[in-house]
Amino acid sequence: MESHKISLLGTGDTGEVGKDTAESLSIPRLMRPLGGEGAEVSFFLETLRHPPLSVEEIRGRQAVIATFVSHPSMLRELLVLFDEFGRIKGNWDAERSKSFTLRRLNTGDATTEFYNARLSLQLNARYLKITLLRLQAIAQLLAKYRHESAFLLDLQNAAHAASLSPAAQELYAFADQIEGSILEAVSYDMEAESDDEVRLIHLFLSDFRHTSLSAEKESAESGTLASFFRRASRQKAAPAPLPPEELSAYMTPSADLRHALRMEAIGETDRRITHAARALLSRFGDVRRDLYFYQRAISYCTRMAERGISMIYPEILPEDACVIRIKELRDPLLLSESSRTDAVVANDMDLCRAGGISGMLIRGANSSGKTVFLRSVGTAVLFALNGLPIPAASAEISVRRSMHTLFASAEKELSTASSAGRFEEEAAAMAQILDSVSQSSLILLNETFQSTAYAEGAAGIAPILEHISLLGGSFIFVTHLTELFDTYRNTPGVRLAVSGSDPRTRYKILPDTVKE
């Protein structure tokens, strides 16, 4: 059994999303009607900030969401089982603490010490059984549903191997035997482990009945937890014979020696039982949080479905494609809140460095849909990179190593009231963003540097946009700095757009072909 931690979100490298990006895109507001505990929502938002850099892992998340959309009861049942699984450690630690306190109060003779050692072993064996039983239930639940999600299959196979494989069943039987009869045992069979130099390093219980267990070879399923209680087939030659005086002592052991041997064997067995349970709890312990991410994702999908919104999973492309190509994208927040979803205007987006386009400038009158368009594109990219569906007809979106926003519109109050203070604050935020720009970065800018004179603002932002492009990043900039449009009018690599002013094209983002 492999020892890697099980995750339903992926374990590879992740990208970086600016800490203010979700807030700028109004994602907490989008999530608010979906319910959920504060900690769960916080985990969802934090997870969005670290999207996978692997195409396969993003597609893996898509498959998990699609599975839970098709089988909502599967998610509910898994949450119940993993809530129970998550409580095991807390309950166990509480009982261990109580047991330890009693043992400290009842120290004394060897008989009491021996009884307490067996009591501790019994307790830990019981919690190993509880852990294995919960994993059995998880494996059986996942097997009950038909699905092709790689992440869920990984969880299913790992839970099965840990709890239902022959080695796991052997481990469960041994723990069950300990819990049921260790306190009544009258004889103890022990097994020794030695190092490569045939020195005794561990002594543990192999049985505690009158009949000794025959030595077993380690199964081909090497590395399983049950192998803790078998003699490894890789052991070297038999131990060297003991000197006569030591051999005599072992042939006729004293009461003290018998007590010491039993205590060592029980203690080592206890440690191994505890390690086995702790390892399982640790290996599967993050899945519960992962499910909270999917719970919020499914709530989002459910709300959109209830409102009659069609959703698609974008085609995820490798990082070097550096593309955002979306057809008929609509803003998720407006779709969630609007009383008339059919009135939410769809727009297309096409930004591809491979096609020679590294940036986009958008201008237009106030309240003409520019910021909503920028928000819809940013939300679509962020959701797509985390495996979530988006409200569009089709989409191709490549992996992004980083994504940042700087929304400094007139509606947003900065901490300093003066224009000079606002400009300095924006400049400092921009400097932090530029420090993290790299190949495939996406920067979303809304009315940046608008607090200064138009000419000065354009002169200040132009070299920044050039720098983003030179570093391999892409940008979308909503702005009133019309001088920038004159600068880029005849410059390849930047797409110019304008929000429609005609009632027939209101809220549409159109090519800007007219010089004003």
Side-chain angles (χ1 to χ4, degrees):
M1 183 174 66
E2 297 179 0
S3 60
H4 68 277
K5 296 194 77 167
I6 301 299
S7 173
L8 295 180
L9 296 174
T11 57
D13 292 336
T14 60
E16 175 191 2
V17 174
K19 63 180 181 179
D20 297 326
T21 297
E23 190 70 40
S24 297
L25 299 175
S26 300
I27 292 176
R29 179 176 158 188
L30 173 61
M31 292 291 113
R32 200 169 296 134
L34 308 182
E37 299 293 331
E40 297 170 18
V41 176
S42 295
F43 177 70
F44 175 82
L45 295 174
E46 182 62 23
T47 302
L48 290 182
R49 290 193 57 215
H50 304 283
L53 292 178
S54 161
V55 172
E56 290 71 24
E57 289 196 347
I58 297 173
R59 291 172 180 166
R61 292 189 185 186
Q62 290 178 344
V64 174
I65 293 173
T67 299
F68 288 153
V69 167
S70 299
H71 305 292
S73 59
M74 181 183 186
L75 175 58
R76 289 194 297 269
E77 293 175 55
L78 274 175
L79 280 165
V80 170
L81 288 176
F82 272 101
D83 280 342
E84 294 173 354
F85 188 82
R87 286 192 289 269
I88 292 174
K89 184 177 183 298
N91 294 340
W92 185 18
D93 286 344
E95 288 202 44
R96 279 168 58 90
S97 177
K98 188 185 302 182
S99 173
F100 181 71
T101 300
L102 290 174
R103 289 168 63 183
R104 287 177 60 190
L105 295 173
N106 291 284
T107 56
D109 58 19
T111 301
T112 302
E113 183 184 37
F114 184 43
Y115 175 79
N116 287 335
R118 290 182 296 170
L119 200 61
S120 173
L121 176 57
Q122 182 189 53
L123 171 65
N124 295 328
R126 179 165 72 252
Y127 273 93
L128 175 58
K129 282 179 57 183
I130 292 171
T131 302
L132 292 170
L133 287 172
R134 291 293 180 272
L135 290 173
Q136 285 179 20
I138 290 165
Q140 290 164 348
L141 171 63
L142 289 164
K144 182 175 73 173
Y145 291 93
R146 283 192 167 187
H147 64 88
E148 297 181 356
S149 161
F151 284 162
L152 289 172
L153 285 172
D154 188 23
L155 171 61
Q156 178 180 330
N157 293 335
H160 185 280
S163 63
L164 290 167
S165 66
Q169 290 295 293
E170 180 183 346
L171 179 60
Y172 180 89
F174 187 66
D176 186 56
Q177 180 186 353
I178 290 172
E179 184 187 15
S181 56
I182 188 65
L183 293 180
E184 291 76 33
V186 293
S187 67
Y188 301 87
D189 296 330
M190 305 172 195
E191 188 169 325
E193 278 186 349
S194 60
D195 61 15
D196 290 342
E197 298 179 4
V198 203
R199 291 176 301 194
L200 184 67
I201 55 175
H202 289 304
L203 192 68
F204 56 90
L205 292 179
S206 61
D207 200 4
F208 36 87
R209 299 174 180 176
H210 293 289
T211 306
S212 300
L213 289 179
S214 60
E216 294 182 72
K217 291 185 177 180
E218 188 176 61
S219 73
E221 215 172 341
S222 61
T224 60
L225 296 173
S227 67
F228 285 153
F229 305 102
R230 302 191 201 99
R231 186 184 301 278
S233 59
R234 294 188 298 273
Q235 277 187 287
K236 309 301 180 185
L242 293 170
E245 61 276 11
E246 292 188 31
L247 182 61
S248 174
Y250 274 90
M251 290 177 63
T252 56
S254 65
D256 288 344
L257 179 57
R258 288 198 303 272
H259 174 69
L261 291 174
R262 287 184 307 191
M263 288 295 293
E264 180 180 349
I266 289 172
E268 180 63 23
T269 305
D270 197 359
R271 283 189 290 274
R272 294 186 180 204
I273 287 282
T274 301
H275 175 79
R278 296 280 187 196
L280 290 172
L281 291 171
S282 174
R283 187 179 184 210
F284 292 89
D286 290 344
V287 175
R288 180 173 58 158
R289 289 199 318 164
D290 295 350
L291 289 172
Y292 291 153
F293 170 83
Y294 288 109
Q295 189 176 28
R296 301 274 67 74
I298 298 306
S299 296
Y300 154 75
C301 294
T302 300
R303 180 167 178 81
M304 291 299 180
E306 290 172 347
R307 311 208 93 207
I309 310 302
S310 60
M311 307 264 279
I312 58 102
Y313 292 94
E315 180 182 355
I316 304 300
L317 301 177
E319 181 183 350
D320 56 10
C322 212
V323 62
I324 306 171
R325 187 173 291 122
I326 313 174
K327 293 291 185 183
E328 299 180 25
L329 172 65
R330 294 193 287 170
D331 182 54
L333 182 61
L334 289 182
L335 291 172
S336 176
E337 295 182 345
S338 177
S339 59
R340 286 190 54 205
T341 58
D342 60 327
V344 179
V345 174
N347 276 292
D348 297 341
M349 176 68 197
D350 193 348
L351 193 66
C352 180
R353 285 188 64 92
I357 305 299
S358 62
M360 183 175 186
L361 297 178
I362 307 170
R363 66 181 179 88
N366 289 334
S367 302
S368 60
K370 307 184 303 300
T371 298
V372 169
F373 174 73
L374 184 64
R375 182 179 69 204
S376 67
V377 172
T379 302
V381 172
L382 186 57
F383 276 19
L385 296 183
N386 280 280
L388 279 73
I390 62 173
S394 65
E396 294 176 305
I397 296 175
S398 61
V399 171
R400 296 278 168 177
R401 192 160 291 275
S402 68
M403 179 176 172
H404 298 273
T405 57
L406 182 51
F407 279 35
S409 63
E411 295 82 8
K412 180 180 177 181
E413 292 295 330
L414 298 178
S415 61
T416 308
S418 68
S419 294
R422 287 173 59 111
F423 180 81
E424 291 175 2
E425 197 167 327
E426 289 177 358
M430 181 65 78
Q432 289 183 341
I433 289 174
L434 292 178
D435 285 342
S436 61
V437 172
S438 62
Q439 187 73 28
S440 80
S441 293
L442 176 64
I443 313 300
L444 305 179
L445 306 171
N446 186 38
E447 307 290 10
T448 307
F449 293 175
Q450 76 164 18
S451 59
T452 188
Y454 283 172
E456 294 175 359
I461 197 70
I464 292 174
L465 300 181
E466 290 293 332
H467 186 64
I468 292 172
S469 297
L470 288 172
L471 291 174
S474 303
F475 64 84
I476 307 174
F477 186 17
V478 168
T479 182
H480 286 301
L481 302 177
T482 53
E483 287 81 357
L484 277 176
F485 287 77
D486 296 335
T487 300
Y488 284 104
R489 185 77 58 187
N490 299 312
T491 301
V494 178
R495 177 160 285 134
L496 305 182
V498 61
S499 53
S501 55
D502 189 294
R504 293 168 298 179
T505 60
R506 192 177 184 190
Y507 304 132
K508 293 293 288 185
I509 304 300
L510 307 168
D512 182 9
T513 57
V514 179
K515 181 177 180 180
E516 294 185 352

